[in-house]
Amino acid sequence: MTDTTLAAPTAVIRALEERAFNAWPARQTVFHRGWVFRLSGGYTKRANSVNALLPGAPFDGVLDAATALYARHGLPAVFRLSPLAPPDADKALADAGYQHFDPSLVLHRPLSLGAAAKPDGSTVVHTAASDAWLDGFAAANGVALHHRGLHRGMLQAIAHPAAFALQDVQGQAVGFGLAVLERGAVGLYDLAVAPDHRGGGRGRALVEALLHWAAEAGATTAYLQVRAQNAPALRLYESMGFKTAYGYHYRVPG
């Protein structure tokens, strides 16, 4: 399956895309003929990319408009192409010299309190990000110093209920995760384990703790995004009942 193959109904894809935009809010958004231009000072591609909002939104004029807008803010025009984007968008970008980059998958699964594994006690979940969570995540995930304020601000801008999972070893924060709940679906983000502590089941424990929190809060489905080439993460998520809903990829200036 290619990374933009339509695996789920369009209505499901659109609902998941909307939730993902809300869960990772950009500092600025500009709406343009069925597309949204997201700008956040260059921190993460997802929050600084052009995305289709409506199925088959016309692409004519979008490249020029995006190029001009992002240049005004000192940023490249990066396109994130989901199945909502028309096929001619990908071709037009390729013809313009844009490079195919970072193919990723959106996975989802049903969720119920009875089916959600109980946390093993290694993970603490809070509804606000502590300094330990923020500083530890930045270190574990290599967030540059000049982007840490942006990251904090984006987390503070999340409008829906959120939970922050934290694992520590002898007072050192080593595992991190974010969950955002909207319309009965929980999205998992910012899943990270410090390099020296990977491979010991911490990733699974993070996901289980966040899913349990969400199930207690009434979530009936869960979703997350993962790079298509991240085989260990895909094996973990598939073992936990996640299946592919759809794929997307980026086009970046060559």
Side-chain angles (χ1 to χ4, degrees):
M1 173 176 91
T2 62
D3 58 15
T4 54
T5 296
L6 185 59
T10 299
V12 171
I13 294 173
R14 183 174 177 185
L16 288 172
E17 288 285 285
E18 289 176 353
R19 290 184 178 97
F21 294 147
N22 291 335
W24 197 242
R27 291 175 64 191
Q28 296 169 292
T29 57
V30 174
F31 298 98
H32 181 90
R33 300 182 63 216
W35 294 75
V36 59
F37 303 168
R38 290 161 51 85
L39 303 101
S40 297
Y43 177 62
T44 77
K45 299 186 303 300
R46 188 155 33 107
N48 293 273
S49 61
V50 180
N51 296 261
L53 281 177
L54 302 176
F59 190 66
D60 56 296
V62 173
L63 176 55
D64 289 342
T67 300
L69 180 69
Y70 281 86
R72 182 174 183 272
H73 291 267
L75 297 170
V78 173
F79 288 78
R80 178 181 169 277
L81 299 176
S82 76
L84 298 182
D88 65 321
D90 194 53
K91 183 179 185 305
L93 289 166
D95 291 345
Y98 274 65
Q99 301 300 306
H100 187 283
F101 184 71
D102 211 8
S104 300
L105 299 171
V106 177
L107 311 181
H108 65 163
R109 57 160 283 185
L111 185 64
S112 66
L113 187 56
K118 291 185 178 180
D120 63 5
S122 67
T123 307
V124 178
V125 177
H126 295 288
T127 54
S130 65
D131 288 338
W133 193 99
L134 290 163
D135 295 340
F137 175 84
N141 217 37
V143 179
L145 286 173
H146 64 280
H147 279 151
R148 294 188 183 186
L150 286 171
H151 182 224
R152 183 186 293 260
M154 290 163 70
L155 293 174
Q156 292 172 340
I158 296 172
H160 292 286
F164 297 83
L166 177 67
Q167 299 170 341
D168 71 76
V169 174
Q170 298 178 341
Q172 178 188 1
V174 300
F176 315 88
L178 163 67
V180 181
L181 177 61
E182 180 188 350
R183 287 177 281 166
V186 63
L188 305 186
Y189 299 89
D190 276 3
L191 296 167
V193 175
D196 292 343
H197 296 271
R198 292 172 185 168
R202 293 193 175 278
R204 179 181 292 273
L206 284 168
V207 173
E208 287 177 346
L210 290 171
L211 291 182
H212 190 266
W213 168 83
E216 285 192 322
T220 56
T221 60
Y223 69 94
L224 54 83
Q225 303 175 22
V226 60
R227 288 182 172 89
Q229 297 173 339
N230 190 344
L234 282 170
R235 285 195 297 269
L236 169 64
Y237 300 141
E238 288 170 357
S239 75
M240 300 182 75
F242 284 91
K243 296 182 179 180
T244 299
Y246 60 97
Y248 65 86
H249 65 270
Y250 291 89
R251 284 280 182 182
V252 299

